[in-house]
Amino acid sequence: MRSVSEYWSSAARRAEPYAPGDQPGGKVIKLNTNENPYPPSPKVLSALREAVGPDLRLYPDPTAAKVRSTAAKLYGLSPEEVFVGNGSDEVLAFAFQAFFHQDKPIRFPDITYSFYPVYARLYQIPVEVVPVTEGFAIRAADYYRSPGGVIFPNPNAPTGLLLALEEVASIARENHGQVVVVDEAYIDFGGESAAPLVRQYPNLLVIQTLSKSRSLAGLRIGLAFGSAELIEGLNRIKGSFNSYTMDRLALTAAEAALEDSEYYSEICQKVIQTRTALLNRLEELGFRGTRSKANFVFAAHSHIPAKEIYEKLKERGIYVRYFPAPRINNYLRISIGTPTEMDALTAALADIVQHPHA
Amino acid sequence: MRSVSEYWSSAARRAEPYAPGDQPGGKVIKLNTNENPYPPSPKVLSALREAVGPDLRLYPDPTAAKVRSTAAKLYGLSPEEVFVGNGSDEVLAFAFQAFFHQDKPIRFPDITYSFYPVYARLYQIPVEVVPVTEGFAIRAADYYRSPGGVIFPNPNAPTGLLLALEEVASIARENHGQVVVVDEAYIDFGGESAAPLVRQYPNLLVIQTLSKSRSLAGLRIGLAFGSAELIEGLNRIKGSFNSYTMDRLALTAAEAALEDSEYYSEICQKVIQTRTALLNRLEELGFRGTRSKANFVFAAHSHIPAKEIYEKLKERGIYVRYFPAPRINNYLRISIGTPTEMDALTAALADIVQHPHA
C-alpha cells in the first residue's frame, strides 16, 4: 500500500521502514544478511530443549537477571551495567529514544548501518551525516564535540573497517555530556570491544548482538554495556514500552551462549580464516575489497558493475547484498559462509567475470 | 536510581515505567499475573522441540507470514488484516505510535490496564480519562465522537467486566475518522471477539495475546486484527523500530497454538468452571466479586481491607495482585489457578477472615 491512510499518526506517516535483506526459502546460498554459517553451540541447543516445557505458560523474568550477570562477567562489569533486548535493533531503538534529542543533532557516518536514519526519522532526531574518507575510514576527530551525541558501528557496516580502541575512547572523551553509542555487532570477528571502557566513560554505550558471533540470529538477543545511569535510561524507555521483551527461550539461549566462549571463539576463528581466503580469491578475480574485520567482505570489481554481478549471482541461487546508494553502489557485501559455500561463490564469480555479457 | 542523569533525553526523563506483577521464584502459588494454570498444548511443545536446531543461526521471517495466515483463518480474515508482535504490550505500543496524536486526546476508562497512561506519557499523547460507573461498567456512549481515538480492554482489566459486542461496534461506528483499539487479552474466557467486525469498521483494531488463553506468557506473542490500512500503519512503526521482533521459536509456537483450538477451548472451559466455583466460595467468605469474564476475579471483602488480605496471603506464599489506586484499593485481583490452588487459596482466606487481627 503506497497511499496514506487517514488513520495514521504523523509518526506513521513520516516513518520510512528499514528494508532488511531478503529471507528466501528453499535451497539457496544465503550470503546476504551476515548470518553465521555454523550452528549455535550444542550446549545452547540442549539448554533450549530442556527449557521447552510447561513453564512456558509463565512470564519470563522481566529483568533478564541471569543473562545480565553472565554478560557482565565477560568484561568484568556488574549486572547494573548491562541491558538485554530483543535483538540489537531493539536496543538501538531504545538508545535513540533514551539519549538523543529532538533539538540537538547527532552525528553518524554517511556510509554506515542504514537503520540509523530510519530511527532518527521516526523519533525526530536531527542528524549531521559525516562523510567517511575516500577509503571509507571513519576519522575519530570528526566526531569530537558533537551537538547531541554520536553513533557508529565498529567495525563499520557495510565496509567492515575497524576503528582502533584508542580512537573509540577519544570520541567518548571528546563528547563530554553527550552519549556516544558504539554498535559492536561484528566486534568478535577481529576487533577489540570497548565494553571495558564504560567505567572510564559514563557517556559510552556499547551495543552487541548474539546474532552474528553466537549464531543466534533466529532468537533475537541484543546487549548493551554502559554506566548504571545509561542502563537505567534504557530501562525507563523499555519499561514504558513492553515489560517483557525477552522470552523464556531467548533468555535460556543467551545465558548458555554467553557461557560457552570456547565454542564461539573457535567458529569465529574459522570465519576469519575463510574471510582471508575469500579476499585473496576475490583479488585474483579482479575485485578490490576493504580490510574487513567483520563476518562479511565488501568488494568492488575493477570493471563489472556490482548490480550486474548481484543479479547474476541471484539467478544462480546465490544471495549477496547490493546497496544502490551513493559512493557504494559499485560494491557487494558478501557474508562469510562455509568454505564449501565460498567455493561455490567464487566459481560462480569466475564464470561471471569471464563471461560478463552472457 | 532515583536521580536524573544528565545523559537522559526528555523522553527518558518523563517516562514512568509500568510495574508488572512480581515474578517470585521458588515454591509459591502464583495468582498475580493472570497466567494460565495449564501448560501449553502438547503439539506446541513438540513443534518447539523440533525447531530447536541449527536453523536458529538464521534470521526469522520478518513478516511472520505463516502465523498471520493461521491467525487470519480464525476469524475469516486475510493475512493483510493481521499483525504479529512481541507480546500484546509491544502491539499496543506500536498502536499508540501509529494511530494516536500529540494534539488530540484519546479516551480510556479510569479503571483499566495501567499500561495505557504509561504509553501516553512516553509518546506525549493527551488523554481524557473517562470514569466507569459505580459498578465499574464501561458506558459505550461515553466514548462516542472522541477527539483522537479510544482504547479499552474487553473484558476490562482488572474488573473482568465484558462489554457486549453491539456496544463495541457502536463505539467503532461513532468514532468516524478516529481509531478505536479494543484490547482483547482476556476475550477467550467468556467473551466474543470483535475481530470479525474489522471489515465493517476500518477504524477498529482488535488486539489479542497468546499469553493467557494459549498458555504462552513465556513466549511473548501478540496479535492485531484490523483493516489493511491499520495493519500497514503498525508495520510502518515496527519496520522503523526492529525488523525482526518475533524469534523463530515464538513463531513456531504461535503457529502450532493457533492451530490447536481444541486443546485451548478445553482448558479455557476448565478455567471458566473454576472461576464460577471460586466466586461462589468467595461469596461464602464475605467477598463481593464482579461478574468477571476473564481468567481472574476482582473481589472486595465486606470488612477486611484488601491490603491486609494481600499481605497475609503473601506471607503464606500466595501471590495475588493489589492496586493501591482510587476506587479499587479495596479489591484484590486473583488469577484463576488449578482447583487445587483455589482450594489452598480459599483455605487461607477462610483462616484470614476468621482471624482478622492475627
Side-chain angles (χ1 to χ4, degrees):
Chain A
M1 187 181 311
R2 284 280 153 258
S3 60
V4 164
S5 162
E6 62 169 321
Y7 300 118
W8 294 354
S9 69
S10 57
R13 283 163 205 246
R14 74 173 169 267
E16 286 181 3
Y18 175 77
D22 290 337
Q23 299 295 348
K27 221 181 142 33
V28 300
I29 296 183
K30 205 172 161 306
L31 307 171
N32 68 333
T33 53
N34 299 339
E35 288 140 336
N36 197 309
Y38 302 105
S41 153
K43 289 179 185 165
V44 168
L45 299 181
S46 88
L48 279 171
R49 277 187 208 104
E50 203 158 310
V52 171
D55 278 1
L56 293 178
R57 73 179 182 86
L58 299 170
Y59 281 99
D61 170 13
T63 71
K66 283 188 189 171
V67 177
R68 283 166 47 232
S69 123
T70 310
K73 278 184 218 142
L74 293 182
Y75 297 110
L77 300 173
S78 79
E80 290 66 41
E81 293 165 311
V82 183
F83 180 85
V84 184
N86 187 32
S88 61
D89 285 346
E90 184 182 84
V91 181
L92 287 165
F94 290 158
F96 267 73
Q97 291 171 84
F99 308 123
F100 296 157
H101 314 272
Q102 298 190 338
D103 54 357
K104 293 190 279 186
I106 57 167
R107 285 191 196 146
F108 56 71
D110 62 339
I111 294 172
T112 196
Y113 185 29
S114 48
F115 217 133
Y116 301 158
V118 172
Y119 296 128
R121 194 172 169 87
L122 179 63
Y123 302 121
Q124 295 187 287
I125 292 152
V127 301
E128 288 178 6
V129 174
V130 181
V132 294
T133 67
E134 190 70 20
F136 298 142
I138 287 176
R139 266 185 314 234
D142 289 349
Y143 297 86
Y144 294 173
R145 288 171 293 282
S146 77
V150 170
I151 183 164
F152 63 94
N154 197 38
N156 196 9
T159 63
L161 294 180
L162 185 75
L163 196 64
L165 203 55
E166 315 85 74
E167 309 268 286
V168 174
S170 80
I171 296 175
R173 191 174 56 240
E174 300 295 336
N175 273 286
H176 187 74
Q178 305 301 332
V179 174
V180 172
V181 179
V182 184
D183 177 356
E184 293 189 340
Y186 302 104
I187 196 70
D188 295 322
F189 300 101
E192 193 181 347
S193 176
L197 300 180
V198 304
R199 291 238 167 128
Q200 201 173 340
Y201 302 107
N203 63 329
L204 176 66
L205 190 77
V206 176
I207 295 180
Q208 296 187 357
T209 175
L210 303 199
S211 294
K212 316 294 182 183
S213 62
R214 266 70 167 208
S215 299
L216 284 172
L219 276 184
R220 322 302 307 120
I221 303 149
L223 300 172
F225 302 95
S227 57
E229 57 184 313
L230 292 193
I231 298 305
E232 172 68 11
L234 293 174
N235 277 322
R236 293 176 69 88
I237 300 296
K238 181 253 185 190
S240 299
F241 171 81
N242 185 358
S243 303
Y244 305 95
T245 53
M246 302 297 300
D247 70 50
R248 282 180 168 261
L249 297 178
L251 290 174
T252 298
E255 198 188 344
L258 290 167
E259 274 168 355
D260 195 0
S261 298
E262 200 182 333
Y263 174 83
Y264 290 107
S265 304
E266 196 182 304
I267 64 173
C268 287
Q269 280 311 312
K270 289 207 271 186
V271 167
I272 292 169
Q273 281 163 21
T274 309
R275 180 179 69 205
T276 305
L278 174 65
L279 277 170
N280 290 339
R281 190 78 188 89
L282 286 175
E283 263 182 40
E284 292 164 16
L285 292 168
F287 286 87
R288 179 173 29 95
T290 59
R291 293 179 55 191
S292 171
K293 295 290 179 189
N295 68 338
F296 54 81
V297 297
F298 193 59
H301 192 261
S302 57
H303 58 274
I304 310 176
K307 187 158 185 279
E308 186 182 323
I309 304 174
Y310 162 79
E311 280 162 3
K312 286 186 171 167
L313 284 174
K314 197 167 174 176
E315 279 165 23
R316 292 163 200 240
I318 301 178
Y319 284 70
V320 302
R321 193 94 196 250
Y322 165 70
F323 300 93
R327 298 189 71 180
I328 56 170
N329 61 8
N330 205 28
Y331 279 79
L332 296 174
R333 192 195 70 184
I334 306 172
S335 309
I336 303 300
T338 60
T340 312
E341 288 172 326
M342 297 295 95
D343 287 346
L345 167 77
T346 49
L349 286 174
D351 192 49
I352 291 166
V353 166
Q354 278 151 32
H355 309 89
H357 303 297
Chain B
M1 187 180 312
R2 283 280 154 262
S3 59
V4 164
S5 163
E6 63 170 320
Y7 301 117
W8 294 355
S9 69
S10 57
R13 283 162 205 247
R14 74 174 169 266
E16 286 181 4
Y18 176 76
D22 290 336
Q23 298 295 350
K27 221 181 140 37
V28 300
I29 297 182
K30 205 171 161 305
L31 308 171
N32 67 333
T33 53
N34 299 338
E35 288 140 337
N36 197 310
Y38 302 105
S41 153
K43 289 179 186 165
V44 168
L45 299 181
S46 88
L48 279 171
R49 276 186 209 104
E50 202 157 312
V52 171
D55 278 0
L56 293 177
R57 73 178 181 85
L58 299 171
Y59 281 99
D61 170 13
T63 71
K66 283 187 188 173
V67 177
R68 284 165 47 231
S69 123
T70 310
K73 279 184 216 140
L74 293 182
Y75 297 111
L77 300 172
S78 78
E80 290 66 42
E81 293 165 313
V82 182
F83 180 85
V84 184
N86 187 31
S88 62
D89 284 347
E90 183 181 83
V91 181
L92 287 165
F94 290 157
F96 268 73
Q97 290 171 84
F99 309 123
F100 295 158
H101 313 272
Q102 299 189 338
D103 55 355
K104 293 190 280 184
I106 57 167
R107 285 190 195 148
F108 56 71
D110 62 341
I111 295 173
T112 196
Y113 184 29
S114 47
F115 217 133
Y116 302 158
V118 172
Y119 296 128
R121 194 173 169 88
L122 179 63
Y123 302 121
Q124 295 186 288
I125 292 152
V127 301
E128 288 178 7
V129 174
V130 182
V132 294
T133 67
E134 191 69 23
F136 299 141
I138 287 176
R139 267 184 314 233
D142 289 349
Y143 298 85
Y144 294 173
R145 289 172 292 282
S146 76
V150 170
I151 183 165
F152 62 94
N154 197 38
N156 196 8
T159 64
L161 294 179
L162 184 75
L163 197 64
L165 202 55
E166 316 84 73
E167 309 268 285
V168 174
S170 80
I171 296 175
R173 191 174 56 240
E174 300 294 335
N175 273 287
H176 187 73
Q178 305 302 330
V179 175
V180 172
V181 179
V182 184
D183 176 357
E184 293 188 341
Y186 303 104
I187 196 69
D188 296 322
F189 300 103
E192 194 182 346
S193 177
L197 300 180
V198 303
R199 291 239 166 127
Q200 201 173 341
Y201 302 106
N203 63 328
L204 177 65
L205 190 78
V206 176
I207 294 179
Q208 295 187 358
T209 175
L210 303 200
S211 295
K212 316 294 182 182
S213 62
R214 266 72 166 206
S215 299
L216 284 172
L219 276 184
R220 323 302 306 120
I221 303 150
L223 300 171
F225 302 94
S227 57
E229 59 185 313
L230 292 193
I231 298 306
E232 172 69 9
L234 293 174
N235 277 321
R236 293 176 69 89
I237 300 296
K238 181 253 183 188
S240 300
F241 171 80
N242 186 358
S243 304
Y244 306 95
T245 53
M246 302 298 299
D247 69 50
R248 281 180 169 261
L249 297 178
L251 289 174
T252 298
E255 198 188 344
L258 290 167
E259 274 169 353
D260 195 359
S261 298
E262 200 182 334
Y263 174 83
Y264 290 107
S265 304
E266 196 182 304
I267 63 173
C268 287
Q269 280 310 312
K270 289 208 273 186
V271 167
I272 291 168
Q273 282 163 20
T274 309
R275 180 179 70 205
T276 306
L278 175 65
L279 277 170
N280 290 338
R281 189 77 188 92
L282 287 175
E283 263 182 39
E284 291 164 16
L285 292 168
F287 287 87
R288 179 174 30 92
T290 59
R291 292 180 56 192
S292 170
K293 296 289 180 190
N295 69 338
F296 54 81
V297 298
F298 193 59
H301 193 260
S302 57
H303 58 273
I304 310 175
K307 185 158 186 281
E308 185 181 324
I309 303 173
Y310 162 79
E311 280 162 2
K312 286 186 171 169
L313 284 174
K314 196 168 176 176
E315 280 166 22
R316 293 163 200 240
I318 301 178
Y319 284 70
V320 302
R321 193 95 197 248
Y322 166 70
F323 301 92
R327 300 189 69 181
I328 57 170
N329 61 7
N330 205 29
Y331 279 78
L332 296 173
R333 192 195 69 184
I334 307 172
S335 308
I336 303 301
T338 60
T340 313
E341 288 172 326
M342 298 296 94
D343 287 347
L345 167 77
T346 50
L349 286 174
D351 192 50
I352 291 166
V353 166
Q354 279 152 32
H355 309 91
H357 303 296

